[in-house]
Amino acid sequence: MTREPTVDRARPEPLYHQLETLLRRQILAGRWAAGERIPTEEQLVEAYGVSRVTVRQALRNLVLDGYLERGPGRGTFVRKPTLTAGERGLTSFTQDMGALGLRAGARLVQGGVVPAPRPVASRLGVPNGQPLYLLKRLRTGDGQPIGVQTTYLVEERFPDLLAVLPEDASLYETLRSRYGLEIEEAHETFSVTAIGRADAALLGVAPNDCGFYVERVAIAAGEAFEFTASIMRGDRYRIRWVLKGEAAGPKSAEARPARGARRQRG
């Protein structure tokens, strides 16, 4: 490996941070494919003219951020893309995948019109038994399963939705373009769960593997129109928040999902 003359000791940033940034850029640019081993610590020391301590700190941070993973006795490898939830605006799963350079996909597992179950009706503010669309979809990034989303939508607001919604399309984009929907906000709740047998089969994991359970209620024109319950693979979906002290100003306690495979639904 040839020396990279890009770590500048005259710059104020710590050398480990400079090296971390350089390696991250190369990972994102595809210098090493997902699952490929990167150069050894010794090779990085020689290539960038830094100490082993600097290399280890940079690699440690990239592991923590989900770009790399260590194989005991085998080296350090580029990690397969991981969807990371953090502070951001209201976006759809399709937009999140696109921001990561991944192709979002959806496979309809179940679709139809059902009477509103009591827990869903209470979240949407509709009477028990009111007709709702039910869409259960397997969500993928570049063909790899990431989550199972079960979505309920108020039927009367979206006539003929099942007939006009392409299976592999963004739900939010269809609601916007077809029905003129402008989403105002969404409220989400995250918890850890054991993945049930049926969802585990769809996601390609073992039953009772750990995952994230995410509930979302989305609002437009002052009224809730969507309730989605998602089961996300624990090894492909992470959550990160930025925590700031009081001097930085108040931060909402209901933190919204920040970088990586970034996040969800629609």
Side-chain angles (χ1 to χ4, degrees), residues 11-90:
R11 291 168 56 185
E13 302 100 310
L15 294 181
Y16 76 84
H17 185 267
Q18 294 185 46
L19 180 58
E20 177 187 343
T21 299
L22 291 168
L23 294 176
R24 183 188 298 110
R25 288 174 179 170
Q26 292 178 76
I27 293 169
L28 293 174
R31 177 167 180 174
W32 305 289
E36 183 178 350
R37 188 172 65 181
I38 69 169
T40 65
E41 290 182 1
E42 293 82 357
Q43 290 172 318
L44 292 172
V45 166
E46 181 178 352
Y48 289 94
V50 295
S51 70
R52 185 181 291 268
V53 171
T54 294
V55 168
R56 287 180 175 173
Q57 181 65 55
L59 295 180
R60 184 181 300 115
N61 289 348
L62 291 169
V63 169
L64 290 173
D65 279 349
Y67 292 97
L68 299 174
E69 59 186 351
R70 296 187 184 276
R74 298 187 301 121
T76 304
F77 298 79
V78 175
R79 187 172 180 174
K80 293 181 179 179
T82 301
L83 188 64
T84 299
E87 187 179 13
R88 60 171 180 80
L90 176 58

Side-chain angles (χ1 to χ4, degrees), residues 164-178:
V164 301
L165 176 65
E167 181 175 81
D168 209 27
S170 165
L171 173 61
Y172 281 2
E173 176 57 29
T174 299
L175 296 182
R176 185 197 64 78
S177 62
R178 181 81 182 189

Side-chain angles (χ1 to χ4, degrees), residues 81-109:
T82 301
L83 188 64
T84 299
E87 187 179 13
R88 60 171 180 80
L90 176 58
T91 59
S92 70
F93 181 93
T94 301
Q95 290 171 315
D96 291 332
M97 291 292 97
L100 294 171
L102 302 177
R103 178 178 55 82
R107 176 166 69 84
L108 186 64
V109 177

Side-chain angles (χ1 to χ4, degrees), residues 94-170:
T94 301
Q95 290 171 315
D96 291 332
M97 291 292 97
L100 294 171
L102 302 177
R103 178 178 55 82
R107 176 166 69 84
L108 186 64
V109 177
Q110 180 182 357
V113 178
V114 299
R118 184 181 298 272
V120 177
S122 66
R123 287 168 171 79
L124 290 176
V126 299
N128 295 336
Q130 178 169 326
L132 301 177
Y133 290 115
L134 166 63
L135 300 170
K136 182 172 183 177
R137 299 182 295 166
L138 174 66
R139 304 312 307 267
T140 61
D142 276 357
Q144 299 299 311
I146 292 175
V148 177
Q149 297 178 333
T150 302
T151 298
Y152 294 88
L153 297 158
V154 179
E155 183 197 24
E156 64 183 10
R157 295 186 68 170
F158 311 109
D160 303 317
L161 174 63
L162 294 178
V164 301
L165 176 65
E167 181 175 81
D168 209 27
S170 165

Side-chain angles (χ1 to χ4, degrees), residues 98-265:
L100 294 171
L102 302 177
R103 178 178 55 82
R107 176 166 69 84
L108 186 64
V109 177
Q110 180 182 357
V113 178
V114 299
R118 184 181 298 272
V120 177
S122 66
R123 287 168 171 79
L124 290 176
V126 299
N128 295 336
Q130 178 169 326
L132 301 177
Y133 290 115
L134 166 63
L135 300 170
K136 182 172 183 177
R137 299 182 295 166
L138 174 66
R139 304 312 307 267
T140 61
D142 276 357
Q144 299 299 311
I146 292 175
V148 177
Q149 297 178 333
T150 302
T151 298
Y152 294 88
L153 297 158
V154 179
E155 183 197 24
E156 64 183 10
R157 295 186 68 170
F158 311 109
D160 303 317
L161 174 63
L162 294 178
V164 301
L165 176 65
E167 181 175 81
D168 209 27
S170 165
L171 173 61
Y172 281 2
E173 176 57 29
T174 299
L175 296 182
R176 185 197 64 78
S177 62
R178 181 81 182 189
Y179 300 96
L181 187 79
E182 295 295 337
I183 303 173
E184 296 171 356
E185 62 182 71
H187 302 264
E188 291 187 333
T189 303
F190 292 76
S191 59
V192 177
T193 189
I195 301 177
R197 186 172 299 275
D199 289 334
L202 291 170
L203 293 172
V205 300
N208 296 319
D209 269 8
C210 285
F212 288 104
Y213 175 72
V214 189
E215 288 189 353
R216 167 182 280 205
V217 176
I219 298 168
E223 296 183 348
F225 70 90
E226 171 210 9
F227 171 76
T228 292
S230 301
I231 302 292
M232 312 299 289
R233 281 183 56 153
D235 60 341
R236 292 185 177 164
Y237 187 85
R238 302 186 308 145
I239 305 170
R240 183 177 69 190
W241 286 278
V242 176
L243 305 179
K244 297 184 178 181
E246 293 181 1
K251 202 81 171 168
S252 171
E254 294 184 280
R256 280 164 267 173
R259 200 244 139 188
R262 282 178 189 111
R263 234 187 69 221
Q264 244 199 322
R265 272 154 313 273

